[in-house]
């Protein structure tokens, strides 16, 4: 597999838009605030870090790394923080130059962003990085293929990387209408199988067919207030 970086258009100077998906990587109303509202608050974070020995977050769509860095900053603020693993998938990883330009919009994350950029050299398959003490596992390739390796690892069949059950999901692929592969019923079922009982999910989309796929996968689903005037988002829990 060869790596292909995304073709980007830059809106308002610093908001990247993927031309192939006709969608932006984060909200023009504020990417950092969006991540905090949708993915952190939607999963009860950072409060759920307290009292854990370890915590595993998984994400569809690494994109600019904004979700990871925002989570990392919140995790660092906890006094008794757990070991953190952040597992993510990306089919079209940005170049270092693209990543740097996107993350420059968030100066409060600059020290963490710099550490990520220093380590950024993605290769096809699984990439294991240590960023600010957290374990970042990036699967470069098709999530529908790579996630099967995680399932095998959990089943004790010797595949890498073996992971602990996932405590929280950030479902952050491009719009379901433009990138339906990351919202596929079979993919979400495997995601649910990898999730700990009591594990959660959050996503910005409230599309009806996505909610139905999540429910069919085994999650209990509820709507919540969306970000920046968006009427609804979705939260979920595995019973």
């Amino acid at each position: 597999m060869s790596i292909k970086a995304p073709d980007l258009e830059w809106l308002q100077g610093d908001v990247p838009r993927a031309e192939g998906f006709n969608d932006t990587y984060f909200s023009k109303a504020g990417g950092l605030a969006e991540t905090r509202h949708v993915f952190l608050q939607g999963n009860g974070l950072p409060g759920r870090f307290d009292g854990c020995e370890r915590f595993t977050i998984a994400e569809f769509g690494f994109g600019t790394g904004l979700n990871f860095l925002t989570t990392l900053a919140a995790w660092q603020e906890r006094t008794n923080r757990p070991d953190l693993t952040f597992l993510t998938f990306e089919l079209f990883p940005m170049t270092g130059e693209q990543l740097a330009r996107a993350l420059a919009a968030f100066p409060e994350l600059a020290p963490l962003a710099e550490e990520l950029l220093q380590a950024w050299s993605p290769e096809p398959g699984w990439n294991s990085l240590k960023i600010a003490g957290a374990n970042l596992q990036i699967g470069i390739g098709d999530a529908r293929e790579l996630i099967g390796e995680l399932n095998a690892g959990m089943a004790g069949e010797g595949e890498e990387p073996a992971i602990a059950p996932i405590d929280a999901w950030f479902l952050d692929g491009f719009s379901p209408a433009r990138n339906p592969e990351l919202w596929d019923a079979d993919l979400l079922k495997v995601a649910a199988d990898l999730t700990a009982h009591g594990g959660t999910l959050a996503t910005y989309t409230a599309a009806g067919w996505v909610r139905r796929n999540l429910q069919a996968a085994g999650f209990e689903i509820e709507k919540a207030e969306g970000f920046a005037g968006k009427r609804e988002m979705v939260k979920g829990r595995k019973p």
Side-chain angles (χ1 to χ4, degrees), residues 11 34 74-75 94 122 132 168 198 206 217 233:
L11 309 179
E34 178 187 32
W75 171 75
M94 288 188 175
M233 57 170 275

Side-chain angles (χ1 to χ4, degrees), residues 118-141:
Q118 288 292 331
W120 189 249
S121 182
E123 297 289 342
W126 288 104
N127 298 252
S128 181
L129 304 177
K130 203 76 170 180
I131 307 293
N135 178 31
L136 175 61
Q137 297 279 352
I138 307 177
I140 302 297

